[in-house]
Amino acid sequence: MPTRRPESAALDRLLGQVHRCQLCRDLPLGPRPILQAASAARILIAGQAPGHRAHASGIPFDDPSGDRLRDWLGVDRGVFYNPAYFAILPMGFCYPGSRRGGDLPPRPECAPEWRSALLEHLPSIRLTLVIGVHAMRWHWPDTAPGTSVTRLVRDWRNYWPARLPMPHPSPRNNRWLKQNPHFEAEVLPALRRRVERLVRA
Ligand code: SF4
């Protein structure tokens, strides 16, 4: 029987603790952490929080946002859901509920409780996709208050190739994409080339 590498076993133990987490007992549908990680992962997707559909299926980005994200990355579901390629660690691991037709922000308890410990077990990450304002605040804590996603994405080359600020791939952002055509024209081709290289490495 093959022996697990020590770093994989430590990450597995930590993931087990995350999956038993009951910190946010008042979540509308209860705790159900949805994440993906392996110590070999090369690309980290730092998103917001699972949506209602992901909560039901237990699969991250199992919705139209995920379809668009995979298109942006140039990968199919088989590559996307291979934890040796992609770690998927949103800022909140459980569905936070919704309000006025939109999802609530990620639970603020989650990142301080788990994020740093999990990232310590991902030594092979070469590219972090920082999606949306909550992930941006955590991954760039020195960013001036009020700095918009639009501005960070406009200045994406400042962070490239280790990190990439991105809008959320939700269909709700179609207007933003129309107003910021450089994202699809400039950023996505560079992103697809880098993802292809990292997956092949
Ligand atoms: S959102 Fe995070 S901290 Fe809250 S119950 Fe889920 S895993 Fe635990």
Side-chain angles (χ1 to χ4, degrees):
M1 190 173 162
T3 308
R4 299 276 288 151
R5 286 168 29 195
E7 62 271 26
S8 297
L11 177 58
D12 287 349
R13 280 195 296 277
L14 185 56
L15 289 171
Q17 292 171 19
V18 173
H19 284 291
R20 292 190 294 276
C21 180
Q22 296 284 314
L23 194 58
C24 311
R25 290 176 183 276
D26 58 333
L27 284 162
L29 300 182
R32 188 181 193 194
I34 298 171
L35 61 158
Q36 169 176 306
S39 57
R42 300 150 197 186
I43 302 164
L44 169 64
I45 298 175
Q48 304 207 91
H52 193 272
R53 280 178 61 168
H55 175 89
S57 69
I59 302 170
F61 285 106
D62 187 26
D63 55 17
S65 295
D67 292 338
R68 175 178 267 168
L69 179 58
R70 286 181 282 277
D71 177 60
W72 284 355
L73 298 169
V75 299
D76 61 19
R77 289 175 71 95
V79 172
F80 187 80
Y81 290 116
N82 185 336
Y85 298 139
F86 286 94
I88 303 174
L89 301 181
M91 299 308 297
F93 296 147
C94 300
Y95 171 61
S98 64
R99 179 180 55 199
R100 290 194 292 273
D103 285 354
L104 287 165
R107 288 295 293 237
E109 299 92 332
C110 201
E113 184 72 13
W114 296 115
R115 198 160 191 80
S116 296
L118 284 164
L119 293 182
E120 278 178 20
H121 288 83
L122 300 176
S124 303
I125 296 295
R126 299 290 176 268
L127 170 63
T128 298
L129 307 177
V130 185
I131 299 177
V133 67
H134 300 287
M136 287 175 189
R137 283 191 197 129
W138 197 90
H139 285 270
W140 287 294
D142 296 332
T143 303
T147 302
S148 66
V149 171
T150 302
R151 180 161 163 209
L152 286 174
V153 175
R154 186 194 67 198
D155 297 337
W156 67 281
R157 291 182 195 280
N158 292 348
Y159 315 104
W160 189 255
R163 294 181 177 184
L164 180 65
M166 296 174 68
H168 196 279
S170 165
R172 290 172 183 272
N173 276 337
N174 286 350
R175 192 165 160 211
W176 186 96
L177 291 167
K178 272 196 185 133
Q179 291 170 342
N180 297 274
H182 74 285
F183 178 73
E184 291 184 308
E186 287 175 32
V187 182
L188 289 189
L191 174 61
R192 288 189 184 117
R193 284 194 297 273
R194 181 141 171 77
V195 167
E196 186 181 11
R197 276 199 295 273
L198 290 170
V199 167
R200 279 190 183 170

